[in-house]
Every structure is written in structure tokens, then in C-alpha cells.
Amino acid sequence: AARACPSAATGFHARAMDFSELFRTSGPVRFSPDGRMVAAAVGHRLAIRDTDTLQMVQLYSCADTIKRVEWSPNAKYILCAMPKQALVQVWSLEDPAWTCRIDEGAAGLVHSRWSPDGMHVINTADFRLRLSVWSLVRKAVEYIKFPKTNGDGLAFDSKGKYFAVAERSDHRDSVHIYSCENYQRVHSFQTDTMDLASLRWSPDDSTLMVFDCSLQYRALFYTSDGRLLAKYEAYENALGLRTGSFAPSGKLVALGSYDDRARLLNAINFRPVAELLHTHKVTSNDVVVYVETEAELPTASGLDPSSAAPTASKYEIADVPFALPYVKPSTDKPNPKMGISSCLWSPDSRILVSRCDAMTNCVFVWDANTLQLHSVLVHKNAVKDVCWHPQLNRLAICCGTRSLFMWSEDGAFCVDVPAGAFETNRVSWSAEGTSILLADRDKFCCAYSE
């Protein structure tokens, strides 16, 4: 049984959304950090468009097919990475005649990113042989040997003064702290890990959270000078952590693991305060279950009555108890689909959104104040992407269909992209939260709020 679903009562709701026309892309599509422009890779070309009008602002031509696009934090430059050629090209938005070409040569290229000051490009070589820190000002390079991972093993603090790099030598993991002024090492310490997988700074930069590999559950919390504050191990002899994040307030830590649980820790003493179990049956009347259904749209007169009527997605609120779509993991095969794959905090830290790989069609919404399940959104297809509004507790969801799904504490709704063949696989908000970028494999568009 189901009943009518209220739409969001304030601000961003279905009837206040306009959509742009579709534009071609063959790779990454990114909002600029200030939200004023959109960059889209089309083969070996990079198109820069104005967010409001989507008119072409600049067109750059690269040496090969673009696989990665990243804006500098100050939105003055944009890099294009081409791993097959071990090449990075950097373009200036202020001076179209200015160019920069970084060739890693035989070392290869697997990852490229900006430093917080927007004046250094950091490349990771093949086989993690080294990090190359290229200065756009000094036209010089610094090398850091044997980084541990591509992206998760490198983290900048919130002020952009220091960055931490996971490294491994003599069969031991260690974390090295570097200064962002000269990219020289200022401190290092060994970690109590079997195979360090990732690290994170706390919002106030006082703590480094270190994850061990998925073969064991171990989260370690260090000060920046290497003093161990706490070690948390929820269980032993089973697959361990998959993801984790600090709440923006810095008061809680969410840890997602292979046992279909997200555990919340107090970020002061790192003791557990809640265990959020993702069951495939909702029994509490306090939980709102939104279920995607299809509704027939009215057809124009004169159309063939035998043809199928057009449909649109909508949410209905299901009665509880309600059984969620669940696929039992095949534990006899490698990389089973199981566990908590993402834990995303709302901007005000009051809500945690999680996804469980055994229930790929579902999005779980938890209230961090009551430590209870608030809502579950159930879709016909697997969820592809989830993204929070940058300032408000509004959530955008896509499932590889024409529909865009929205949730807020006031309710939830669906809206179809008014285009023909379009599958929304990625969503992202602009910096001000007034626009949403919707990307398919070979095209994209923008949705705007009034």
C-alpha cells in the first residue's frame, strides 16, 4: 500500500526547475569552484561555458583524449590529464594565450590534482613510484618518492598549510607531513597498519584518521606530530572498513564497513556512540519510506490510442513494514557487492546519508541527533550518484534514468529531464546551490531553480 507523497514545501521544488538544452561531452564535466562556469571534455577538446546561459566562453585543444578535468581552487586555471600520453595540460581562464604542458615521460601518469593555492600541480606516477609537485610560478618540480596510493593516500589540511602523504618502505607504513610553502618534509611517523588504505584530516586539522586495508577493521587517529590518540576495531577476522568521514562540525565520525553497518564515533574520545544497521526490512512507523513509481502522463488528442502512454516517475510513501529490494552477496566470488560504500554528511552535520551495496536501489537517511533512521528512498534502478546541496539539507539523487530525485526534510519528489534519450549518471551542485549539473555518458545539461 502507498499514499501520496508531499513535495518539498520550501525553495527548490519540482515546479520551480528549468532545464537547459543538451550539450555534448565524452568525459568529465565540472562546475568551477565559484559556480560561474562549466567545463566539459569533448574528445581532445575542452569547452568552457557560462553556467547561466551555457554559451561558449572558451575552447581549448589538447594533445590527446581528456580523461580528467579539475579546476584550480581559485578558478583561474584548469588542468586536463591524459594518462595514455603521461601528459597534463593547464589552461588559464584569464589569459587564453598562456599554456602549460607537463610531460611525465617514462614515469607515466595515473592521477593529477591541484594544490590548495592553485599554483601547483601534483601528479602521481605509474606504479606509485613518485609524486611530482610542479610549480606554475617557479617553473620547477619537487619529487616525493614511493607514495602509498593514488588519491586517498594524500590529504591537505583545511588551511592549505600542510599535506599528509602515506608512504611505505621496509615493509612498514608511514605518514609524512609536508609544508605547502616549499614542499619539504617537516615530520613523519609510522602507523600501526598492515596495509594503509587512506587518510583524512579532521575539520579543525587537529587529527589524522588513518584506515587499514579492507582485510581488517582498523581506524587509527593521530595528531599531526604522530601521537596515537585512539585505535578503533569493531571486530576481527572479517572484511573491515570501506569508507569513513568526519562530520563538518567535527563532533562525529562515520565509519562504513562490510558488515552492512555504519558506526558513529565521538570525535573527542573516539568511542562509539551508535551502530546504524542497514536491514532489508523497515518496521518502524517513525521511518518514512519513499518508493519510486510510474505515473501515466496525459496524452495529446489525435495520437494513436494503441501506442504506449508516456510515463513519469514519482515518489509514493509506502506503509510499513516494508521489505527493501535486497541482493544476497555472492561471497564465493571476488569483490562481492556488500557493505556500506558511502557515508555523506549534510552541511550542518545533522543528517547522514549512506548507501549499502547489497541494496543498491536504496538511499538511507539518518538523523544524527536521534541516532535513528529518518527516511529510506527506494528506486526502480540502482543509485548512480548522490550529492548534498552545498549549504542546505537538500539531496540530489540519480539512478541512470531520465529522472532527477530530490529529498529534503520537508519531503521528496521526482522530476524528469525534458529530453529524449538521456540517462542521468552523475549529479553535482554549483557553489551557490542554484544550479545542478546532470551528466550522461555523452551529454549533459543544467537544472536551475527559480
Side-chain angles (χ1 to χ4, degrees):
R3 56 189 187 275
C5 173
S7 64
T10 58
F12 208 89
H13 56 89
R15 288 168 295 182
M17 294 182 71
D18 292 325
F19 289 85
S20 73
E21 61 181 292
L22 299 181
F23 294 89
R24 287 184 56 215
T25 181
S26 62
V29 185
R30 300 285 185 269
F31 273 125
S32 62
D34 57 12
R36 295 171 56 191
M37 288 177 283
V38 177
V42 185
H44 67 281
R45 289 187 171 91
L46 181 70
I48 309 295
R49 297 180 180 275
D50 180 272
T51 298
D52 293 332
T53 65
L54 288 180
Q55 294 296 310
M56 186 85 73
V57 175
Q58 194 61 252
L59 182 65
Y60 302 106
S61 183
C62 294
D64 198 8
T65 302
I66 302 168
K67 294 299 183 182
R68 179 175 173 81
V69 170
E70 185 172 326
W71 290 88
S72 64
N74 55 20
K76 293 181 179 180
Y77 301 95
I78 189 166
L79 70 77
C80 302
M82 293 147 278
K84 285 187 177 181
Q85 301 293 329
L87 186 66
V88 174
Q89 288 183 260
V90 183
W91 307 97
S92 169
L93 276 296
E94 296 180 341
D95 182 5
W98 182 93
T99 60
C100 173
R101 180 185 175 108
I102 300 172
D103 192 343
E104 293 289 352
L109 177 71
V110 294
H111 190 267
S112 185
R113 62 169 295 173
W114 286 100
S115 65
D117 65 0
M119 300 307 295
H120 295 81
V121 176
I122 303 175
N123 294 333
T124 305
D126 272 337
F127 308 109
R128 304 182 181 98
L129 294 176
R130 71 187 187 195
L131 289 177
S132 306
V133 184
W134 297 86
S135 171
L136 303 186
V137 176
R138 297 186 294 111
K139 299 181 181 179
V141 61
E142 301 284 347
Y143 294 111
I144 298 173
K145 293 184 178 180
F146 309 121
K148 190 72 167 56
T149 58
N150 296 337
D152 289 342
L154 188 154
F156 287 90
D157 68 6
S158 63
K159 300 180 181 64
K161 290 185 176 180
Y162 301 98
F163 71 100
V165 179
E167 301 181 29
R168 187 175 181 90
S169 61
D170 299 327
H171 310 290
R172 291 294 304 272
D173 290 330
S174 58
V175 173
H176 298 258
I177 310 296
Y178 291 84
S179 167
C180 290
E181 289 187 8
N182 52 21
Y183 289 87
Q184 298 299 308
R185 186 187 301 176
V186 296
H187 192 71
S188 62
F189 57 90
Q190 290 187 336
T191 59
D192 184 19
T193 51
M194 180 173 66
D195 186 10
L196 192 157
S198 65
L199 50 85
R200 306 275 193 280
W201 288 94
S202 62
D204 64 357
D205 302 327
S206 64
T207 306
L208 268 171
M209 176 170 59
V210 172
F211 292 171
D212 213 331
C213 66
S214 60
L215 295 179
Q216 61 180 352
Y217 194 119
R218 180 176 295 173
L220 303 159
F221 300 89
Y222 292 93
T223 62
S224 58
D225 60 1
R227 181 166 56 91
L228 180 63
L229 297 172
K231 178 196 296 187
Y232 180 68
E233 297 174 310
Y235 53 81
E236 297 179 346
N237 304 319
L239 292 176
L241 284 168
R242 287 202 62 186
T243 186
S245 58
F246 282 95
S249 66
K251 295 180 180 180
L252 291 172
V253 181
L255 300 175
S257 50
Y258 279 92
D259 64 344
D260 292 346
R261 287 170 169 83
R263 292 170 173 84
L264 301 185
L265 309 184
N266 183 316
I268 298 176
N269 56 24
F270 302 105
R271 294 177 180 174
V273 296
E275 190 173 285
L276 312 179
L277 176 61
H278 295 63
T279 61
H280 51 274
K281 189 171 185 179
V282 178
T283 58
S284 173
N285 288 320
D286 296 329
V287 179
V288 182
V289 180
Y290 297 100
V291 180
E292 179 193 356
T293 61
E294 287 188 349
E296 289 190 2
L297 297 175
T299 56
S301 59
L303 294 179
D304 183 358
S306 64
S307 62
T311 61
S313 293
K314 69 173 184 176
Y315 277 132
E316 291 185 345
I317 298 179
D319 293 332
V320 293
F322 184 85
L324 304 176
Y326 175 82
V327 177
K328 187 176 182 180
S330 300
T331 54
D332 57 338
K333 297 180 181 179
N335 302 316
K337 289 286 187 180
M338 59 188 294
I340 308 305
S341 58
S342 68
C343 291
L344 303 175
W345 290 96
S346 63
D348 64 2
S349 303
R350 290 195 301 109
I351 297 172
L352 177 72
V353 164
S354 58
R355 293 163 60 189
C356 177
D357 276 1
M359 293 173 275
T360 56
N361 296 20
C362 301
V363 174
F364 295 82
V365 182
W366 305 85
D367 188 322
N369 291 327
T370 63
L371 305 178
Q372 299 295 323
L373 186 61
H374 181 285
S375 307
V376 183
L377 297 102
V378 185
H379 307 92
K380 289 180 171 294
N381 298 280
V383 175
K384 297 291 187 180
D385 199 10
V386 176
C387 187
W388 279 109
H389 187 286
Q391 289 99 29
L392 305 175
N393 289 353
R394 294 175 183 162
L395 196 67
I397 304 167
C398 68
C399 300
T401 65
R402 283 199 333 161
S403 298
L404 171 66
F405 304 91
M406 305 290 292
W407 176 92
S408 76
E409 292 171 276
D410 297 317
F413 67 84
C414 318
V415 57
D416 280 357
V417 179
F422 187 84
E423 298 178 353
T424 309
N425 290 300
R426 298 186 305 277
V427 292
S428 58
W429 293 85
S430 64
E432 294 182 349
T434 56
S435 308
I436 305 178
L437 189 62
L438 313 175
D440 196 345
R441 292 179 180 85
D442 57 359
K443 45 192 170 290
F444 75 94
C445 68
C446 282
Y448 304 95
S449 62
E450 292 181 354

